[in-house]
Amino acid sequence: MARVLVTRQLPPGGLDPLQGHELLQRDGDQPLSHQELVEAAAGVEAIVCLLTDRIDQEVLSAGPNLKAVGNVAVGYDNVDVAAAERAGVAVCNTPGVLDETTADVAFGLILAASRRFSEAERDLRAGRWHGWGINQYLGHDVHGATLGLVGYGRIGRAVGRRGEGFGMRVLHHTRRPTGEPGHVAGLDELLAEADVVSLHVPLSEDTRHLIGRRELALMKPTAVLVNTARGPVVDSDALAEALENDRIFAAGLDVYEDEPQVPPRLLAAPRTVLLPHVGSGSLATRTAMARMAADCVRAILAGERPPNLVTRSG
Ligand code: GLV
């Protein structure tokens, strides 16, 4: 029996794979402060954590017995993987189980931003709608439009399938050719061609501010940008400026550069749909994510090699 720190209450059943271990679990939904996390990590053999927990060198080397980290997220930019490898801690994430759920949110943002749902609803709720008008809230059709996927992993592909179902022409850009129909070798080319650009790359030093002022200037003035990946992939100042100056038509965002801060300029920008990082947020999917992370931790503690290792060894 090992001691496992679980940094939050998780959906019911999410920790079942860890039955038999001693769980030190935080009550409620508030993250531990970094100092609390370091102190709690010092006495455990494993951690089940969330993307809002910064698992850095200090946490990873807090105690002598830490062996495993199960990050309940597919993105793991909150974990210092190199420091984990140095400390001999195996780290796992939760790929595969959240693709369709996250793609639903990306597609919801594509529809909502293209057709201006948020602004229309805000007006209606505020009593600013005074009847049907032929010129009201005119957006752009999704059917017949070109969808440009930046990144073509599981989630990007799931968004592409939705696009095809909605009658879109689907292109994708990855640095390495996929050999599949719709591959566009250059990001600039994809940005210039797409009516809707949807981002599906992990956050890394290569993708930080992948979409900045220069890239936004390449997009069509009628284009929509959707980000369900990670906030820092987009330079939010440049995006706010592009929206304010009608350089692009609209944006749908689920993620932000410095969550939970949402830049006031984006809050005020026109034709912007803003969600509070709910991409994987269905009960079934969040439960599956928790179980997957817990099962990986169980496997590492049992000396097995888990399926979703992001460190080189487990
Ligand atoms: C959510 O953002 C995740 O990475 O799972």
Side-chain angles (χ1 to χ4, degrees):
M1 184 178 82
R3 279 157 72 86
V4 181
L5 169 68
V6 183
T7 63
R8 225 64 48 84
Q9 292 297 310
L10 300 181
L15 292 170
D16 285 359
L18 286 169
Q19 265 168 21
H21 290 290
E22 184 189 349
L23 303 183
L24 309 176
Q25 195 167 10
R26 167 87 160 174
D27 283 336
D29 210 19
Q30 283 308 306
L32 295 159
S33 71
H34 192 253
Q35 193 48 38
E36 286 171 324
L37 189 54
V38 173
E39 281 163 24
V44 298
E45 282 155 83
I47 305 177
V48 176
C49 62
L50 305 187
L51 60 88
T52 42
D53 298 315
R54 185 159 51 86
I55 308 295
D56 59 8
Q57 162 99 35
E58 225 187 324
V59 174
L60 290 159
S61 54
N65 299 321
L66 188 64
K67 291 188 189 62
V69 170
N71 197 44
V72 186
V74 65
Y76 51 89
D77 46 282
N78 59 311
V79 181
D80 185 339
V81 173
E85 284 172 348
R86 283 195 301 274
V89 177
V91 178
C92 292
N93 68 339
T94 63
V97 286
L98 46 66
D99 307 337
E100 302 296 331
T101 303
T102 306
D104 284 345
V105 166
F107 213 82
L109 285 172
I110 291 172
L111 292 170
S114 300
R115 298 293 306 277
R116 303 171 67 171
F117 289 176
S118 288
E119 157 197 11
E121 191 194 10
R122 278 195 296 273
D123 280 358
L124 180 145
R125 286 180 184 276
R128 288 191 295 262
W129 183 55
H130 304 296
W132 188 86
I134 197 156
N135 295 310
Q136 280 172 357
Y137 306 112
L138 302 184
H140 293 290
D141 282 323
V142 165
H143 70 269
T146 297
L147 171 60
L149 302 166
V150 180
Y152 203 49
R154 297 182 186 88
I155 299 173
R157 285 167 189 268
V159 175
R161 288 195 295 277
R162 283 158 178 73
E164 277 161 16
F166 273 74
M168 302 180 89
R169 169 178 169 240
V170 181
L171 304 176
H172 62 273
H173 164 73
T174 51
R175 283 194 300 190
R176 264 186 246 125
T178 56
E180 293 177 48
H183 182 258
V184 177
L187 175 60
D188 289 3
E189 217 179 316
L190 181 102
L191 294 173
E193 182 75 20
D195 299 302
V196 176
V197 173
S198 190
L199 304 176
H200 302 289
V201 288
L203 176 62
S204 69
E205 281 322 304
D206 290 341
T207 60
R208 188 175 296 276
H209 285 193
L210 183 68
I211 305 296
R213 199 159 277 113
R214 192 189 76 82
E215 290 71 24
L216 288 158
L218 294 171
M219 291 171 62
K220 298 180 184 178
T222 49
V224 170
L225 178 71
V226 167
N227 188 9
T228 52
R230 282 291 183 268
V233 174
V234 177
D235 175 345
S236 41
D237 262 342
L239 175 60
E241 188 182 294
L243 290 159
E244 287 158 6
N245 299 332
D246 299 332
R247 272 294 313 129
I248 66 167
F249 178 68
L253 307 177
D254 188 40
V255 288
Y256 305 90
E257 286 201 66
D258 186 20
E259 296 178 13
Q261 312 303 324
V262 181
R265 228 176 134 184
L266 276 182
L267 288 169
R271 298 178 304 280
T272 306
V273 183
L274 303 175
L275 295 179
H277 204 150
V278 293
S280 61
S282 73
L283 177 60
T285 292
R286 289 276 165 87
T287 306
M289 290 164 70
R291 287 182 79 96
M292 182 177 267
D295 193 50
C296 285
V297 165
R298 178 208 57 76
I300 296 163
L301 292 173
E304 297 164 17
R305 190 180 168 84
N308 310 318
L309 267 187
V310 299
T311 40
R312 276 193 295 267
S313 58

